[in-house]
Amino acid sequence: MKQIYENLAVMTNGDSILINEIPICDITAFTATIIDAVDKGQRVSSFFGAKTDNADSTALYVILADDESNRLNVGKTIISGTEFPSITPHCPQVHLFEREIAEQFGIIPIGHPWFKPVRYCHSWTGMDAWNRNKNEPILPAVGDFYRIEGEQIHEVAVGPVHAGVIEPGHYRFQCHGEQVFHLEIALGFQHRGVEKAMETGPDSRSLHFMETLAGDTTIGHSISYCQIYEAFSHTQKPVRAQALRGIALELERLANHVGDLGALSGDVGFLPTSSFCGRLRGEFLNLTAYLCGNRFGRGFILPGGVGFDIDQQDVGEILHRIGICNKEITDAINLLWDNQSVMARFTDTGPISEDFAIEMGLVGPVARASGIMRDVRYTHPNGIFRFSQIPVSIYESGDVLGRAYVRWMEIQKSISFIINQLKTLPKGDVLVLPEKLNPLSLSIALNEGWRGEICHVALTDENGSFARYKIVDPSFHNWQGLAQALRNQEISDFPLCNKSFNLSYCGHDL
Amino acid sequence: MYKEILTRIKQGHRTMKFPKGAPPALSDRFRGRLIFDTEKCDPLCKICTEICPVGAIETESKRLDLGKCLFCTDCFQACPEKAISFSKDYRLSVRNREDLIVTTELKEIILAEELEKKMKKLFGHSLKLRQVSAGGCNACEADVNVLGTIGWDMGRFGIKLEASPRHSDGILITGPVTKNMEIALKKAWDAIPEPKILIAVGSCAIAGGPYIDMDQVNNGVESSLPVDLYIPGCPPHPLTILDGLLRLLGRIENE
């Protein structure tokens, strides 16, 4: 029998409810409920603050995902004053969420074990959890870092500008020779203020923020945003549009997974697969461009459906091209598993145990590579995934090999899914125009982006405008996993471990 | 070893012939340079100005700023007179910011000219660039990276992305320049020996992109550093980026 919590409202993915239907409990009961639910197997998909009518108090909302019963549980509490007892010591997966709440609203989680800013920006309320001067600029990555001292210990600091073409972030390694004892990651360099800018929307820029929130996940984030829009306006999007969205989402996964496998082989010095995959990634981006004119899918996903339809001739062309890609990537990627030196470098590098992954609430291929059945397409399906399931790809080793192999399994499943969808594409329209958004409501959208679970939650005000728009990119859950994966590894394995996670900086920094 | 060689043979030779041969085929839906047909345009109608998410269109003066433009379909869909359309022209790079503004008098943009004689002598056959992402969403970064793959093989023109600014001839910047990246960008720029060049890729780096006028970002790189080449797009297609770089080095002449 599943535990039913009277403190929580029950929803499913893509639902909308009135805010006053969410039970409000005090902070003690709120904390106890989160700890108990997480102990019993739920996980924290989102945890965020929101303004209340009273300037001295802040509302906290939690979204708990119950993967076994496909339910999303929503809890709410109101904090008056500037502090609340930290939940992190009892439930580590909220550690970054609490730091974020402190940074955005200036309220302090008392007892947080490593209380630092997340994005190094000023709060939205004028209060500051670190008592910093209002007029002084806040510099990123400045402040305490965890440090190990000793005669033979040395510290390596890297970034924000790295050697390759990647986004900025700062890493501090505590090392003994080659061995890494501890890695701490400081982000925030990409902070653009997306969540704040979404308030008072939807407006002409809202969709464009979503498309550029993490550019390599344009489809994943814009589908999530549109789902929120459609839930608030009770829009039934056409089935054909749902199928086309599914195709676009899987094309995005294919491009990125193929690119990642190429990058991984490049990092172990195995150049054939690296070169082949570099080109093949582009073939999938070109297929997305075939659908909508943009390689990343800009302009394809719109509230109420999709912006472009395809005809029978297009279906034939896409099937033809994807058939060729399928053959070529199979050849290219199988070289990896047949090559002893590649396997020796992938195996046992950067391991993440199943227990750690569960405790920290990791998501996506990273969680699945540690043996966890966690895939929104399967556990909280919406859109086309309600009609057509994709098997969940799981591996047990939890190391770089596991994360690479999960990607390879997913590549094969996504290709079959796309072929299947194209052959059975429903007829009809691809776009309906949504009505106005419901006032004073809350809506949740979950999607399995290629990095893992994307969670969008929105609250509307009395006019039906966004009063709060909360985005959780899968990277937000997984960065701590990368830090853990480096423990007791060689520092020279960092690039390889980093690629096997391939997390988003801008998706985290928002 | 046998399998690797066999796969290599199957995969074949993939480097494109461009710029000597034809460019790779683009999607029929590719959104290249915008065309603003002022004759069809109703001067009283301001729909496109109002709908443009980044204020790239001024209806009264009939100016369209390709530097700000996100190449989204919003204006194109909304225009009742169908006065705005997309061409498939991927050539968009310019040397001067004002060349990105399309007006009634000037429908064609002035494509980038090659570097000055002395600079071209230095960089024409070997250009090493440091890429700095300053708030970029990773789409521009990804399509810059693509130029290093075997299909595009930017290395055949002597253009290479370098790890250290000290080994570089310039910066290729993406992103609107977030406040949190200002110092790092300045340090990277200062570390590059003179003479040096700056290439702004994408509407964010040129004018702020969708983040234009927001508190946490600057409106592109221009306010702090001098730009030598503007490559518009959101993100620009790899072909647009390569075309711009090659024009700068004098490898593609204005036709």
Side-chain angles (χ1 to χ4, degrees):
Chain A
M1 180 65 193
K2 293 296 295 180
Q3 180 84 36
I4 308 285
Y5 298 95
E6 56 188 32
N7 292 330
L8 303 174
V10 181
M11 296 175 71
T12 55
N13 187 8
D15 259 359
S16 155
I17 57 170
L18 292 173
I19 293 172
N20 62 20
E21 286 174 21
I22 302 165
I24 302 177
C25 57
D26 64 29
I27 183 73
T28 317
F30 183 77
T31 303
T33 307
I34 295 176
I35 294 168
D36 189 64
V38 170
D39 276 350
K40 293 198 167 73
Q42 297 191 29
R43 59 197 172 78
V44 180
S45 273
S46 191
F47 180 32
F48 59 95
K51 273 184 245 160
T52 63
D53 294 337
N54 183 349
D56 297 329
S57 63
T58 311
L60 297 184
Y61 289 86
V62 67
I63 312 294
L64 293 160
D66 185 345
D67 293 343
E68 274 180 41
S69 63
N70 308 16
R71 293 291 182 271
L72 297 167
N73 299 315
V74 188
K76 180 180 183 182
T77 187
I78 309 259
I79 308 281
S80 29
T82 57
E83 57 183 54
F84 66 102
S86 170
I87 310 171
T88 303
H90 313 285
C91 175
Q93 53 184 279
V94 302
H95 75 114
L96 203 53
F97 287 112
E98 286 192 337
R99 282 164 54 177
E100 182 186 61
I101 290 166
E103 189 166 55
Q104 291 175 339
F105 292 89
I107 54 174
I108 305 165
I110 302 291
H112 192 290
W114 196 229
F115 188 51
K116 295 177 66 173
V118 182
R119 305 187 177 110
Y120 299 88
C121 55
H122 288 286
S123 83
W124 300 347
T125 56
M127 297 192 287
D128 191 284
W130 291 272
N131 281 325
R132 293 167 297 190
N133 191 326
K134 245 183 226 176
N135 304 319
E136 274 177 38
I138 297 174
L139 298 173
V142 172
D144 282 346
F145 280 81
Y146 184 83
R147 249 186 131 165
I148 297 173
E149 287 187 356
E151 269 186 26
Q152 296 181 343
I153 301 294
H154 64 106
E155 183 179 80
V156 179
V158 187
V161 177
H162 308 283
V165 182
I166 59 169
E167 297 172 73
H170 181 74
Y171 303 94
R172 289 273 177 105
F173 297 88
Q174 309 297 317
C175 300
H176 177 241
E178 277 286 287
Q179 190 189 7
V180 177
F181 284 142
H182 181 79
L183 160 63
E184 189 173 348
I185 303 167
L187 300 169
F189 298 93
Q190 300 283 78
H191 180 56
R192 297 155 292 174
V194 177
E195 275 187 11
K196 190 73 187 153
M198 285 299 284
E199 286 180 14
T200 70
D203 57 34
S204 62
R205 281 201 208 178
S206 307
L207 182 62
H208 300 294
F209 289 140
M210 296 296 111
E211 290 181 332
T212 56
L213 195 152
D216 48 25
T217 318
T218 297
I219 299 286
H221 279 291
S222 48
I223 288 181
S224 304
Y225 165 73
C226 291
Q227 235 168 270
I228 292 273
Y229 203 118
E230 289 147 12
F232 279 137
S233 56
H234 299 296
T235 307
Q236 277 296 339
K237 51 190 176 287
V239 194
R240 189 176 174 88
Q242 296 186 26
L244 289 170
R245 281 184 182 183
I247 291 169
L249 188 69
E250 296 311 311
L251 281 174
E252 186 167 85
R253 187 180 323 277
L254 281 164
N256 286 298
H257 279 4
V258 168
D260 282 350
L261 287 171
L264 282 168
S265 37
D267 266 359
V268 298
F270 185 65
L271 298 183
T273 304
S274 165
S275 304
F276 304 149
C277 284
R279 175 186 71 85
L280 284 160
R281 175 177 181 277
E283 299 294 335
F284 290 107
L285 293 174
N286 288 340
L287 276 173
T288 302
Y290 187 87
L291 289 177
C292 67
N294 182 291
R295 284 157 56 91
F296 296 86
R298 307 271 158 91
F300 191 53
I301 314 290
L302 302 178
V306 292
F308 298 87
D309 197 1
I310 52 174
D311 61 22
Q312 209 46 44
Q313 200 187 337
D314 296 330
V315 169
E317 175 66 20
I318 300 172
L319 281 171
H320 170 68
R321 286 206 213 172
I322 218 160
I324 297 172
C325 289
N326 193 10
K327 274 197 206 109
E328 290 178 345
I329 50 170
T330 306
D331 282 348
I333 291 170
N334 276 333
L335 291 179
L336 289 176
W337 325 125
D338 291 339
N339 189 295
Q340 291 301 319
S341 61
V342 170
M343 290 301 274
R345 290 283 282 114
F346 281 9
T347 309
D348 290 336
T349 305
I352 292 283
S353 70
E354 185 177 354
D355 287 346
F356 179 83
I358 292 172
E359 193 175 12
M360 294 308 292
L362 304 188
V363 295
V366 174
R368 292 194 282 280
S370 295
I372 302 172
M373 188 80 163
R374 186 171 290 169
D375 187 325
V376 171
R377 292 170 296 173
Y378 175 76
T379 52
H380 301 274
N382 60 63
I384 192 65
F385 301 107
R386 287 186 176 154
F387 312 114
S388 187
Q389 276 79 38
I390 296 185
V392 182
S393 305
I394 292 177
Y395 208 75
E396 293 79 30
S397 62
D399 51 6
V400 170
L401 173 64
R403 292 188 280 277
Y405 208 79
V406 162
R407 284 179 166 91
W408 168 230
M409 291 191 282
E410 291 187 6
I411 287 169
Q412 299 170 74
K413 299 294 175 209
S414 295
I415 289 181
S416 335
F417 172 85
I418 292 173
I419 293 174
N420 190 16
Q421 289 306 313
L422 286 169
K423 286 185 175 165
T424 58
L425 207 56
K427 293 199 165 42
D429 291 337
V430 293
L431 188 66
V432 289
L433 289 180
E435 302 284 317
K436 253 186 82 116
L437 309 195
N438 276 359
L440 299 170
S441 305
L442 175 145
S443 168
I444 310 174
L446 293 189
N447 275 293
E448 188 70 21
W450 64 274
R451 280 195 185 94
E453 177 185 283
I454 294 166
C455 175
H456 287 211
V457 186
L459 303 169
T460 48
D461 63 14
E462 55 278 1
N463 304 318
S465 301
F466 296 135
R468 175 80 171 98
Y469 199 96
K470 173 80 205 121
I471 302 149
V472 184
D473 186 85
S475 311
F476 198 78
H477 296 287
N478 283 1
W479 274 109
Q480 193 60 33
L482 173 60
Q484 177 71 18
L486 253 289
R487 290 209 169 172
N488 293 316
Q489 301 295 297
E490 290 180 14
I491 193 168
S492 49
D493 279 336
F494 175 70
L496 183 59
C497 292
N498 191 21
K499 295 272 187 352
S500 74
F501 279 76
N502 194 4
L503 301 174
S504 174
Y505 298 73
C506 54
H508 172 279
D509 294 347
L510 294 175
Chain B
M1 193 62 196
Y2 166 73
K3 274 186 188 161
E4 279 87 342
I5 294 168
L6 191 68
T7 311
R8 169 69 187 83
I9 294 166
K10 274 198 210 165
Q11 297 266 340
H13 178 78
R14 296 292 187 165
T15 307
M16 66 185 65
K17 293 227 160 40
F18 181 80
K20 280 191 178 151
L26 294 168
S27 154
D28 284 344
R29 292 169 176 179
F30 175 75
R31 301 192 286 274
R33 187 163 52 79
L34 261 81
I35 299 169
F36 196 27
D37 188 343
T38 42
E39 278 163 26
K40 281 189 194 165
C41 180
D42 172 1
L44 296 174
C45 163
K46 289 198 173 70
I47 291 177
C48 59
T49 306
E50 282 157 16
I51 209 154
C52 178
V54 290
I57 312 172
E58 286 172 38
T59 333
E60 268 170 50
S61 53
K62 294 194 195 297
R63 285 155 56 95
L64 193 152
D65 187 346
L66 290 174
K68 287 183 181 171
C69 180
L70 301 181
F71 296 79
C72 68
T73 55
D74 296 356
C75 58
F76 164 75
Q77 304 276 4
C79 179
E81 309 295 333
K82 298 280 167 239
I84 299 174
S85 59
F86 287 99
S87 71
K88 275 188 75 180
D89 193 352
Y90 60 85
R91 302 166 309 157
L92 291 163
S93 307
V94 301
R95 295 291 308 276
N96 302 305
R97 179 68 180 86
E98 57 271 24
D99 290 344
L100 285 172
I101 293 164
V102 184
T103 58
T104 334
E105 294 80 43
L106 199 68
K107 285 187 180 169
E108 289 294 320
I109 54 173
I110 302 165
L111 293 168
E113 285 178 9
E114 64 181 38
L115 285 166
E116 295 68 42
K117 207 172 168 189
K118 187 182 152 210
M119 297 285 267
K120 194 188 157 193
K121 202 176 169 197
L122 276 170
F123 302 141
H125 295 281
S126 162
L127 179 65
K128 306 275 192 269
L129 295 169
R130 172 60 250 194
Q131 201 275 328
V132 175
S133 167
C137 73
N138 209 21
C140 286
E141 288 81 349
D143 269 352
V144 168
N145 246 333
V146 157
L147 296 178
T149 62
I150 47 173
W152 300 88
D153 191 20
M154 183 167 69
R156 67 197 152 116
F157 307 106
I159 310 170
K160 196 177 166 240
L161 294 164
E162 197 59 65
S164 166
R166 295 199 191 277
H167 302 162
S168 306
D169 304 316
I171 281 184
L172 186 154
I173 185 172
T174 53
V177 187
T178 53
K179 296 276 174 355
N180 283 353
M181 268 304 282
E182 272 176 1
I183 295 176
L185 172 65
K186 182 162 191 316
K187 282 187 175 177
W189 177 250
D190 289 346
I192 297 177
E194 297 273 1
K196 51 193 168 187
I197 59 172
L198 187 79
I199 298 168
V201 173
S203 52
C204 280
I206 296 172
Y211 303 96
I212 187 169
D213 295 332
M214 276 168 54
D215 292 344
Q216 299 285 351
V217 301
N218 296 299
N219 287 343
V221 67
E222 202 160 40
S223 58
S224 49
L225 300 172
V227 181
D228 296 285
L229 181 69
Y230 300 83
I231 308 181
C234 186
H237 193 277
L239 187 56
T240 306
I241 305 175
L242 185 61
D243 172 77
L245 293 173
L246 294 180
R247 280 176 195 278
L248 189 71
L249 300 183
R251 299 290 188 93
I252 298 180
E253 298 280 327
N254 276 331
E255 32 298 8

